[in-house]
Amino acid sequence: MSPAPSSRPSAHPPHARWLWPFMLVLGMVTMVVAWTSLALATDRQHGWVALLAGLEAAWMLRLGGMAAGRARSLLAALATVAMVVAVQWFVAAGHIGGQMGMAPWEAAPKMGAWYVMTLSLMANTRLDLVLLALGPLLAWRAGR
């Protein structure tokens, strides 16, 4: 007699494993837009949002069905770094482009990396810089 089939469903259905790239991109875009909007509206950098961005990246990968492990941790950390860089770029572009009558997305391609880095270092407080550095580390930890 054959054993009875398991009636317990799997934690992740096989069709859900391919969702993680879409979930990650969706989460990254919404976080960058929200964080940039907050920073431009309040004239502050809000480095603490990097911690939320790291948690969000790890959460989106988990929700998308990516298998736990080093790859997920690394991808969550890299996604957080990408979000931090994008936000710093768009906030600098928003301030400089606004003075020239351009939207942030119009000014962003016209700015060089060294110029953005200089403006970001001048705009961020030490606490902001520490929090920006802790964001990817938190993503690495949460992505395990």
Side-chain angles (χ1 to χ4, degrees):
M1 187 168 205
S2 65
S6 175
S7 62
R8 206 173 70 188
S10 67
H12 296 285
H15 66 279
R17 294 255 184 223
W18 58 271
L19 284 176
W20 68 263
F22 301 107
M23 296 289 288
L24 182 62
V25 170
L26 177 67
M28 288 175 67
V29 169
T30 56
M31 181 61 76
V32 167
V33 169
W35 188 0
T36 302
S37 299
L38 176 67
L40 289 174
T42 61
D43 287 330
R44 299 194 60 207
Q45 295 290 24
H46 298 285
W48 58 270
V49 180
L51 301 175
L52 297 178
L55 291 173
E56 183 265 343
W59 185 51
M60 286 297 178
L61 290 172
R62 186 172 299 185
L63 281 177
M66 186 175 190
R70 286 187 180 178
R72 187 167 80 183
S73 291
L74 180 63
L75 191 56
L78 290 175
T80 306
V81 169
M83 285 187 276
V84 166
V85 169
V87 167
Q88 296 300 310
W89 200 289
F90 279 117
V91 169
H95 286 295
I96 298 302
Q99 296 173 4
M100 297 179 205
M102 293 189 286
W105 55 88
E106 294 171 333
K110 295 174 175 45
M111 298 180 68
W114 289 109
Y115 186 51
V116 170
M117 188 174 75
T118 301
L119 292 175
S120 294
L121 287 174
M122 290 180 356
N124 286 297
T125 65
R126 285 187 181 140
L127 179 61
D128 285 330
L129 293 173
V130 168
L131 293 172
L132 292 176
L134 288 176
L137 297 175
L138 180 61
W140 175 271
R141 177 77 173 127
R144 295 185 336 163

